[in-house]
Amino acid sequence: MSGRSGMDASPRSVIVVGAGIVGLSTAWFLQEHGVEVTVLDRAGVAAGASWGNAGWVSPALTAPLNSPSMLREGVRALANPAAPLHIPLRADARLAQFLLRFAANCRSTAWQRAVRANAVLNDEAIETFDVLVTNGVDAPVTDTSVAVAFRDSAHAHGFLTELSHLSASGQHVHAEILTGTTLHEQVPLASPRVTTVVDVSGQRFVDPGRFTHALATAVTERGAALRTGEVCRTSKSGDGVVVGLRAGEPLHADAVVLATGAWLPALTGRRVRVRLQAGRGYSFTVPVDRPLPGPIYLPEVRVACTPYRGGLRVAGTMEFRHPAEPLDSRRIEAIVASAAPLLDGVRWSDRTDLWVGPRPVTDDGMPLIGRLAAGVYVAGGHGMWGLAHGPATGRLLAEQIVTGKQPEAVRPFDPLRGRATGSEPLTLPL
C-alpha cells in the first residue's frame, strides 16, 4: 500500500487483519472515508465465528455474559459435563486467570455497567445493517420477532424482568406473552412442554456466512485488496506501521486494525489488561417438518434456532477451550438432548454442517474497540454478539481512526482500560 500520510494526520491506508464481520465492517466504513484498505486473513472470509453463528441481529437479546446468573450456572456446570456452559477440568493457567477475572465481574454493578456501555452498539445495530444493504451488500436481512420459549410461565416472567433492565438503559424493547393456540400458531415447532413464549418483536436475522461473504464482495468491489496470510507482529516504522507475516514480504500502511476474534491476545500481547478467552460455540443444520417463521430461543438450555436454507440452524454451548481444538461431538449430542424435548417436527438425526467456532469473550462483558498504540487499533471481544455488533463497531472505529478522536460512546470499550497510559511498545509480537 502507498500514499501514507503520517501518524499525526488522517490515515490514507489501513490494513485490516481479520475477514470476519467485524473486520470487514471496519474496512467498509473506512472506505466511506476514502481510506485505501487491505484486508488480511490467515484462512479467508468468514473462516471463524462469522460463519457458524445463529445469525441474529437482535439488540433486545444482546445481554452481557457477566451476569450473576452466569456465575451460578458456571459453578453448576463444573459437575455436569452436558451443561450449556462447559469448563474443562484441566490445568490451564491462562483459562484460570480469565475465569477468576470473569467471576469478579459477575456482579450486578459490573453487569449494569456493561449493559449501559453496550447500549450504543445495540442502538446502531439494525441501522448499520441497513446502511450496508442499501449501499450494495447483496444479502437479505429479514425482519422478525424472536420467540423465547419456556416450560413454565414463572421463568417467562423472570425473563421479562431481565428485559426491563435493557429498557432502563434507554433501549426500546417490545415483548408480549403468548400461550395456548396463539403460541403454537406463532411457533409451530414448539412441543407440548413449551407452555409460554415471550415474543420479542423488532429484531432481524441473516444467513451469517452469506452476509459476510457479500460484505467481502462489496469491500473488494470498492477497491480493497483481500489477501491471505498469517500475521506474526505489527511494528511502528517511520510515519506508518509494518505488518509482518509468517510467510511473505511485510506490508506497510498508515495504520492497522486487529480484528482477529479469539486470536486477538496473540497479537496484542500484554498491553491489554482485559482478559479475552475463546468461548467456543457449536452449530449444525437439521431438516424440519413445518417451516419456521422466525428464530426460537430456548433460554433454559441456552439453544438458539434460526430458519436456515429450508431447515433449521441450531446453535448452542459456551465451551472454554483453545480456539484451534477440534470439534467435540459430545457437545453436539448435549445440544440435541437438551433441545429435542422442547421442539417437535425436527429430524435431529439428519443433521449436517456440524461446526465449532471460537467467540471472543472478555472478562468484563464489553468489547475491545479503539487505539492500542500509535497506528494500531483493536476491534473484537464481542462474545456471542459479534455479528449483531460488527457493523456498528466498524462505523465507530472508522470514525476514530480517521478523525484521531475517540468517540465518547466508544470510551468504555478502550482496549487500554484499567491501566495507566505509559510509553507505547514499538512492536506487538505474536
Side-chain angles (χ1 to χ4, degrees):
M1 301 181 75
S2 59
R4 300 205 304 273
S5 57
M7 299 303 297
D8 296 328
S10 177
R12 290 186 293 183
S13 61
V14 175
I15 297 168
V16 177
V17 185
I21 187 70
V22 175
L24 289 167
S25 295
T26 304
W28 196 93
F29 282 103
L30 283 169
Q31 290 175 317
E32 286 290 279
H33 292 281
V35 177
E36 180 187 352
V37 177
T38 293
V39 179
L40 181 65
D41 195 281
R42 64 179 180 176
V45 174
S50 291
W51 185 86
N53 65 78
W56 293 7
V57 184
S58 53
L61 300 176
T62 55
L65 286 173
N66 59 315
S67 66
S69 63
M70 180 62 75
L71 180 59
R72 295 190 295 269
E73 184 174 336
V75 173
R76 291 194 298 267
L78 293 174
N80 180 11
L85 176 62
H86 182 59
I87 304 172
L89 293 176
R90 63 185 182 186
D92 186 335
R94 188 179 186 89
L95 175 58
Q97 291 171 352
F98 167 81
L99 291 174
L100 287 172
R101 293 278 293 271
F102 183 82
N105 282 306
C106 285
R107 310 184 315 273
S108 179
T109 53
W111 185 78
Q112 290 284 358
R113 182 167 59 248
V115 167
R116 291 191 297 271
N118 290 341
V120 64
L121 301 177
N122 288 332
D123 289 344
E124 296 199 12
I126 288 177
E127 178 193 350
T128 46
F129 269 87
D130 286 343
V131 169
L132 294 175
V133 172
T134 301
N135 290 280
V137 177
D138 186 16
V141 179
T142 304
D143 292 317
T144 191
S145 61
V146 177
V148 186
F150 296 89
R151 290 183 174 93
D152 64 77
S153 61
H155 286 144
H157 285 90
F159 175 74
L160 285 174
T161 300
E162 291 182 13
L163 289 182
S164 70
H165 294 301
L166 294 177
S167 297
S169 71
Q171 181 178 326
H172 175 70
V173 179
H174 183 269
E176 62 176 325
I177 293 283
L178 304 180
T179 58
T181 302
T182 306
L183 183 160
H184 290 282
E185 289 174 350
Q186 183 73 15
V187 192
L189 295 180
S191 80
R193 296 193 184 189
V194 174
T195 67
T196 311
V197 161
V198 178
D199 191 62
V200 184
S201 60
Q203 311 304 299
R204 305 266 184 94
F205 72 89
V206 300
D207 175 333
R210 179 178 175 181
F211 189 92
T212 306
H213 277 277
L215 178 56
T217 298
V219 167
T220 55
E221 287 178 347
R222 286 152 57 105
L226 182 59
R227 299 183 52 172
T228 301
E230 185 172 358
V231 174
C232 60
R233 69 185 182 280
T234 66
S235 58
K236 185 177 178 181
S237 176
D239 60 355
V241 294
V242 177
V243 176
L245 305 178
R246 287 204 179 279
E249 295 296 316
L251 304 179
H252 299 261
D254 290 347
V256 60
V257 175
L258 305 177
T260 54
W263 286 272
L264 267 176
L267 290 175
T268 59
R270 298 181 180 179
R271 184 78 174 164
V272 176
R273 289 193 63 186
V274 176
R275 297 282 180 177
L276 187 146
Q277 175 69 34
R280 305 199 318 164
Y282 286 72
S283 72
F284 53 90
T285 303
V286 286
V288 292
D289 295 340
R290 299 177 293 280
L292 186 68
I296 302 174
Y297 180 41
L298 308 173
E300 293 161 310
V301 295
R302 296 193 179 271
V303 170
C305 306
T306 311
Y308 182 73
R309 303 186 180 184
L312 194 68
R313 170 168 282 181
V314 182
T317 294
M318 176 64 70
E319 179 189 51
F320 288 126
R321 288 185 184 272
H322 189 276
E325 289 191 36
L327 181 145
D328 184 346
S329 60
R330 294 172 298 179
R331 306 309 306 157
I332 298 287
E333 296 293 344
I335 293 172
V336 172
S338 65
L342 301 175
L343 299 176
D344 283 343
V346 178
R347 300 198 288 277
W348 297 102
S349 60
D350 296 333
R351 50 187 179 269
T352 57
D353 298 334
L354 275 65
W355 174 90
V356 62
R359 299 165 298 195
V361 179
T362 59
D363 63 32
D364 64 0
M366 295 181 287
L368 305 167
I369 306 171
R371 184 178 183 269
L372 181 62
V376 181
Y377 298 84
V378 173
H382 297 82
M384 299 186 300
W385 312 120
L387 179 80
H389 289 164
T393 294
R395 181 158 73 176
L396 290 166
L397 183 58
E399 177 187 341
Q400 180 175 357
I401 293 170
V402 170
T403 66
K405 299 178 181 179
Q406 183 184 56
E408 184 65 31
V410 180
R411 195 173 302 277
F413 310 136
D414 192 324
L416 298 179
R417 62 185 181 265
R419 66 179 299 157
T421 301
S423 59
E424 295 171 347
L426 296 182
T427 301
L428 297 170
L430 183 65

